[in-house]
Every structure is written in structure tokens, then in C-alpha cells.
Amino acid sequence: MAAPGLALPSAARSKWDIREEVWEHLEASGLAEFPRPVRGRIPNFKGSSHAATRLLSLQEFRAARAVKINPDAPQRNARFLTLEARKTLLVPTPRLRNGLFNRIVPPPGATKEMLRRCATSQGVRDFSVPVGLDSKAQVDLVVVGSVAVSEKGWRIGKGEGYADMEYAMMVSMGAVQEDTPVVTIVHDCQVLDIAEELLGDHDLTVDYILTPTRTIQTNCKRPKPQGIMWHKVSSEMLGKIPILKTLRCREKQAGKDVTLQDEHPALADTKRAAISDQKVMAALPQPRAAPGSAPVLLPHVGRDPVNPKSEGSDTITTVFLGNLPGSLRVSQLKSVLRELQVVPAALKWQGAQHRAFLDFREQGAAHRALCSLQGLSLGGNALRVELAKGQRNQGQGEINSHK
């Protein structure tokens, strides 16, 4: 059942719809905790520390020697409890830029207060030791954050895919087994009905859900990812995650198919295959503050330019672009759109919020844009491409955001 206060009909809603509903509810109900706003994050919430204490009652936690826990705020107390129990605490490196894990090593004779400091985001940076691929690390329990989760164990993250990739990489390096339990810590309002159709074969499921009031054993039967799905990895992602290159080399030597997403023959005849991510991003400057919100009219390339004076006479359909790189300029986005032959009547640029809105006078043109932009990555960011909120039920063409 959907949590109280959240109106979430399951089948009609995308992952991004569910994320937005959860983030908005946590803020509006006063349940959100620092860091705020929680939108775009694994949300911290009132009662997260108490929910984490439910780990102590899990036999799987008591028996675990090494526990991998994500570095987000709602899992801070879980990290402390792991250190206090004298277990090995492994925390993923931010965005997987420098390897997969860091082991948190408190100073000798650390007091409880020092352990609490080691469990903070700053402590994770100050007291960490990298764990290499050849360390033969074994993870006995995995704790991940979630934006939403169902009692069946189906999980929705914040939309960047790192938890799924972390787990797949752990499988690839032999750090987890098929029966390694996965736990998530969320507020009760984040436990929702989620349509199974929203899940992909790369999506990580969970075995236990810990909330301030409940411990839920999901008995999830859906298989977890069996390793890295190379056909869903782009060359851009490979370039941003050095450890992924190493794992790919090893799996290639082992005789596995490591063909990347943009290397598959099926993409050879598409327009997107002609647009290299490296080419698009080569011109990007070093990251800097993006401009504020401003509408930008784009000239049409067809034979019949649209008369701006007639704009008010047509129904406007708007496409949302999210997760734009902070260093992206509006001129560069316009160039990408033109190469894909996506020509909106207007582009509303909100670079500081990492998003833009494309206005189309014809609904069919908007849906063609959705199809053309699906799966596009810029600067290592998989873009979120959807009909703008309030327009998502206007015919076909909604595209669910990537995890």
C-alpha cells in the first residue's frame, strides 16, 4: 500500500514521478533533515538514526564481519554502529572516481565520540584507506540508501545509478555472493507500491527495509544484478570511472562480451551514433556557475519557420531535461539538439538547477524529441528526459528517468 500522505497510483507513474512525490512530501511534512533540500538526494529524514538501530536485531548484521554502507546522511548511524561493533566498514568512493571502496580505519583506542566522527561524511574522508581490486575483499552485508522502496523489495534510487553499478562491480570482483543480504534504511512514508514494470534487470533489490517503526523482510525473489551489464555502459561512463576500465579488461581477458552501449551494431544507423559524447563535451569549459533561468528562442531549420506571434494560439507541450552537467552552456545544449534534429519553439534554460525545458507547439514533435533524446549522456551525466510535470499523461512518449 502507498504510504499515508502520498497519492501514488502505481502503474501510471514513472520512477521520476515517484521520486518527486517522495521528495515533495518529506519537505512539506517537515520530515526532511539536513542536508536540504532533499530533492535530488538520498533523503535524510527525522528518525533515521533510530531506524538504523534496527540493524542490531538482524542476525545477518550480527554475523557480518565486513559491511558496505553508502556515504549518505541517513546511513550515518548505521556506519557508527558498524564501527562500534568492531566490524570492517567499507564505504564507496564518491561517484566511483577513485576505485570502488574505502575502508574506514578509526585511530587506535578511538572513543565512541571519535567513532561517531569517523561515521560522518568528513570522517569518511579523513579516516579512509583505499581498497584495491586485488584485496580479495568480502562483503557480508550491503546497506544502501533509497528514495522509495516497496515491501516486495523493489527499490528506486535518486536516479544516477551508482548503487546499482556499485553492486554490479562488487559481483564482478567477487566481493558479494548471490545470497549476500541487502538492507535499506528509509522513512515509513518512503515505503510505497512500485509497479514491477518500472524495474530493469540492472536494478538492485533489497532484502530488508528498516524504518523508524518497522523491520520489513521482503522475501524478494527477483534476481539481483549478476554483474556489470556492459551493453548498458557508455564510453563516457567508462572514461569517468577508472576502476570500470580495469574490470572490463579483466572480463574481456576471461572471454566475456564487454561490448559497450555505443559500440553495438544496432546503434550504427541511428542519429545518436553519429554524435560522439567526446565530441560534444570536448568544447566544455571547466565547471563554473551556470546562468540563471532564461527563455531562449531557437530558430527552426525546416522550410516553414514558426511565426513567434502565433505562439499563444497553440497548445504548448513541454519536455523536461534534467541532470545537465554544471559546466554545460546553453549554446552547447542547443548545438546538441540541432545535431539530433530536435528543434523546439523555445528553450527555457535553468543551468543553475541543472535543467532545461523545451517547448513544442505540436505534441507529436515533443514525443519525437523524447524518443530522440532517450539515453543521451553529456559529460558523464545520463540526462533525465520526460514530459514536464502535469503533461505526462498527454498521449504516449513518457520516458522514465534512469536510476
Side-chain angles (χ1 to χ4, degrees):
M1 295 179 63
L6 292 178
L8 294 171
S10 56
R13 304 190 73 78
S14 71
K15 287 179 179 178
W16 193 246
D17 289 321
I18 294 173
R19 291 183 186 108
E20 290 283 6
E21 293 279 357
V22 170
W23 288 327
E24 290 175 11
H25 177 74
L26 286 169
E27 291 285 2
S29 62
L31 293 170
E33 289 276 40
F34 177 85
R36 296 179 65 183
V38 295
R39 188 184 185 281
R41 307 177 190 272
I42 296 297
N44 197 12
F45 57 90
K46 292 181 178 177
S48 61
S49 292
H50 178 65
T53 62
R54 294 181 176 273
L55 274 173
L56 301 175
S57 64
L58 294 183
Q59 173 58 29
E60 289 86 347
F61 177 78
R62 294 196 298 266
R65 291 172 295 180
V67 184
K68 174 261 173 188
I69 305 179
N70 72 302
D72 296 301
Q75 281 70 52
R76 182 171 57 245
N77 197 39
R79 296 191 294 272
F80 164 71
L81 294 171
T82 299
L83 292 173
E84 187 181 43
R86 300 297 187 260
K87 301 179 186 294
T88 297
L89 172 60
L90 300 172
V91 178
T93 60
R95 297 182 179 271
L96 304 176
R97 290 193 186 100
N98 301 303
L100 179 56
F101 296 131
N102 282 331
R103 179 181 176 182
I104 310 307
V105 183
T111 63
K112 181 176 288 191
E113 286 309 308
M114 176 56 73
L115 294 180
R116 289 192 186 279
R117 180 184 168 192
C118 292
T120 65
S121 57
Q122 185 62 48
V124 166
R125 290 190 288 270
D126 292 344
F127 300 99
S128 63
V129 175
V131 177
L133 274 179
D134 297 318
S135 64
K136 308 297 182 184
Q138 288 294 314
V139 176
D140 302 309
L141 184 73
V142 175
V143 180
V144 297
S146 302
V147 174
V149 66
S150 78
E151 292 191 10
K152 294 180 180 180
W154 301 338
R155 171 188 172 275
I156 294 176
K158 62 184 177 183
E160 295 183 346
Y162 285 104
D164 304 313
M165 178 57 75
E166 288 160 10
Y167 184 87
M169 291 167 70
M170 286 192 291
V171 172
S172 181
M173 64 187 287
V176 295
Q177 310 303 318
E178 189 175 347
D179 60 349
T180 302
V182 177
V183 178
T184 194
I185 299 171
V186 296
H187 192 272
D188 292 272
C189 73
Q190 295 172 257
V191 183
L192 309 169
D193 291 334
I194 298 173
E196 187 172 10
E197 298 77 44
L198 296 180
L199 301 186
D201 51 5
H202 64 287
D203 285 323
L204 180 62
T205 56
V206 303
D207 302 294
Y208 289 95
I209 304 168
L210 309 184
T211 80
T213 66
R214 293 192 291 168
T215 297
I216 304 169
Q217 185 171 4
T218 67
N219 297 309
C220 184
K221 303 302 181 186
R222 186 181 179 92
K224 294 182 174 65
Q226 299 300 301
I228 300 170
M229 298 177 184
W230 294 106
H231 65 283
K232 294 189 175 182
V233 177
S234 68
S235 297
E236 182 73 19
M237 178 182 288
L238 191 71
K240 297 292 184 183
I241 305 177
I243 192 175
L244 206 51
K245 294 181 182 178
T246 305
L247 287 171
R248 186 182 185 224
C249 182
R250 293 187 180 189
E251 294 201 0
K252 185 176 182 178
Q253 291 175 345
K256 295 184 179 181
D257 182 1
V258 295
T259 306
L260 300 180
Q261 182 185 67
D262 40 9
E263 293 176 343
H264 275 276
L267 296 178
D269 296 328
T270 66
K271 292 185 176 69
R272 183 175 291 105
I275 300 179
S276 164
D277 230 5
Q278 290 83 354
K279 173 185 172 185
V280 170
M281 298 312 292
L284 284 180
Q286 293 299 312
R288 65 179 185 177
S293 173
V296 182
L297 292 178
L298 298 181
H300 278 60
V301 296
R303 295 181 180 177
D304 299 313
V306 176
N307 180 2
K309 295 181 181 179
S310 66
E311 182 174 350
S313 62
D314 298 319
T315 300
I316 297 296
T317 302
T318 302
V319 172
F320 167 80
L321 298 182
N323 201 32
L324 298 176
S327 55
L328 186 70
R329 294 178 178 174
V330 64
S331 60
Q332 292 161 335
L333 178 59
K334 288 163 63 176
S335 177
V336 173
L337 295 176
R338 289 193 183 98
E339 289 197 60
L340 288 171
Q341 296 187 14
V342 174
V343 188
L347 186 157
K348 295 183 177 68
W349 175 253
Q350 297 182 357
Q353 288 77 41
H354 306 288
R355 65 192 181 197
F357 296 88
L358 311 181
D359 287 345
F360 296 86
R361 292 189 176 87
E362 295 181 2
Q363 192 177 93
H367 291 305
R368 287 191 294 273
L370 286 170
C371 294
S372 296
L373 296 170
Q374 183 178 14
L376 182 64
S377 293
L378 296 178
N381 289 17
L383 302 195
R384 294 167 179 155
V385 184
E386 305 177 322
L387 288 180
K389 196 169 184 180
Q391 299 180 334
R392 297 172 187 169
N393 294 323
Q394 297 180 9
Q396 298 177 351
E398 178 179 344
I399 296 178
N400 295 334
S401 61
H402 294 287
K403 277 202 76 188

